[in-house]
Amino acid sequence: MAVKTRSFDYTIDGKTFEAFLAAPDGAPKPGILICHAWAGRSPFENDKAEALAKLGFTGVAIDLFGKGVLGQSKEENQELIKPFVENRPMLQDRLKANIEMVKEQAEVDGAKIAAIGFCFGGLCALDVARSNADAAGVVSFHGLLNAPGNTPDEIKPKVLALHGWDDPMATPDDVKAFGEEMTNAKADWQLHAYGGTMHAFTNPQANDPDFGTVYDGDADRRSWQAMQNFLAELF
C-alpha cells in the first residue's frame, strides 16, 4: 500500500506545535492520534503513524510539548510531563484541541477518530476517553493508569489497555484501581496484561531493568495485534 507522509505546524492557544501525518493514498481514512511518550514526539511515534497508514488508517503523531521540544534525559522528560500530570484538565483540553486539529486534515475521515499512546502517551489516550472527547475508542500501550480525579459518571469511548504485569510504574494495585474506575464509569473496557513484562515493552531502545523499562518482542507483537483487532471493531 502506497503511503504518503508530511510534517506540518499547527497552533493551540498561541503556541506552535508540529505533527507528523502518514496516510494511504485514496479517500480519507479513520484518523488515529498517536500520543507520544514522555520525551516528546520522536521517530518512534512517526514510525507508528506510518505503520498505521500501512494498515489503512491515517496516523497522526501529535505534539503536546511544542515544536522542536524533545527531552534528552530522564530528568528533562520528567519536567516535560510534570505540568500535565499535575493538571489533568489542562492535558485533556490540549488533547481535545489536537483531536479537532486531526479532524480538519484532508486525509482524515473526521467522523472516525481514535487515539493510541505509549507510556505517558498511554495516559493521554486514556484521558481522551476519560474526558469523553470525540473519539470512538482509545488504546494505551504500557500507559500510566492513575485516575485524573475528574472521571465522568459515564465514559463513552471504548477503552483498551495493553499492560506489562511487571511494570513498576503501573502496579497490580494500580491495575485494580483502574478496573474499578472504568467499571464505575460504565466504560466498555478491556485490559490485556503480559506476564514477565515491564514498562516500555514496545520500544526496542528500552533496556534499563533497574528503571523498569525493557523491550519485549512478544508483548510488542501481541499488543500491536490486539490494537488491530480493536480498531477493526471500531471502524
Side-chain angles (χ1 to χ4, degrees):
M1 181 181 294
V3 170
K4 56 189 176 184
T5 65
R6 62 184 175 93
S7 297
F8 61 95
D9 292 354
Y10 61 103
T11 304
I12 296 173
D13 296 333
K15 186 178 175 107
T16 300
F17 300 86
E18 184 181 33
F20 177 87
L21 181 149
D25 285 334
K29 302 296 191 293
I32 315 297
L33 283 79
I34 300 125
C35 304
H36 55 69
W38 66 339
R41 185 182 62 82
S42 72
F44 175 87
E45 288 81 16
N46 297 350
D47 289 347
K48 296 301 182 187
E50 294 195 49
L52 283 163
K54 291 173 183 173
L55 295 174
F57 303 100
T58 296
V60 186
I62 64 168
D63 175 12
L64 294 169
F65 296 159
K67 183 174 180 176
V69 178
L70 202 61
Q72 302 299 326
S73 67
K74 292 174 187 172
E75 293 75 22
E76 284 185 21
N77 298 345
Q78 192 64 48
E79 285 303 307
L80 285 170
I81 68 169
K82 186 177 179 182
F84 297 100
V85 173
E86 292 181 349
N87 187 345
R88 299 284 279 281
M90 179 185 74
L91 171 60
Q92 292 167 1
D93 286 345
R94 186 159 294 180
L95 290 164
K96 287 179 177 178
N98 273 276
I99 287 174
E100 293 307 309
M101 176 275 293
V102 169
K103 286 163 63 177
E104 292 168 0
Q105 303 310 308
E107 301 92 337
V108 172
D109 178 347
K112 297 178 179 179
I113 299 292
I116 73 171
F118 301 81
C119 304
F120 165 68
L123 174 80
C124 295
L126 294 173
D127 269 20
V128 167
R130 287 166 166 141
S131 60
N132 279 326
D134 190 7
V138 305
V139 184
S140 164
F141 291 83
H142 42 80
L144 308 175
L145 300 176
N146 48 307
N150 63 349
T151 302
D153 291 336
E154 185 175 356
I155 289 175
K156 295 173 183 173
K158 295 181 180 181
V159 174
L160 172 61
L162 304 165
H163 173 67
W165 191 251
D166 294 341
D167 186 339
M169 301 171 203
T171 66
D173 285 344
D174 297 328
V175 172
K176 185 172 185 291
F178 171 75
E180 291 171 350
E181 178 200 3
M182 293 293 112
T183 299
N184 291 338
K186 306 177 186 69
D188 179 337
W189 70 280
Q190 305 172 56
L191 184 138
H192 298 200
Y194 304 104
T197 304
M198 289 187 166
H199 192 70
F201 59 77
T202 64
N203 185 350
Q205 306 302 316
N207 185 25
D208 189 348
D210 291 340
F211 189 56
T213 53
V214 178
Y215 177 69
D216 186 292
D218 285 338
D220 185 15
R221 171 179 54 81
R222 291 166 178 167
S223 62
W224 190 251
Q225 184 60 56
M227 177 209 71
Q228 291 180 61
N229 297 345
F230 182 76
L231 293 177
E233 183 180 306
L234 292 183
F235 302 125

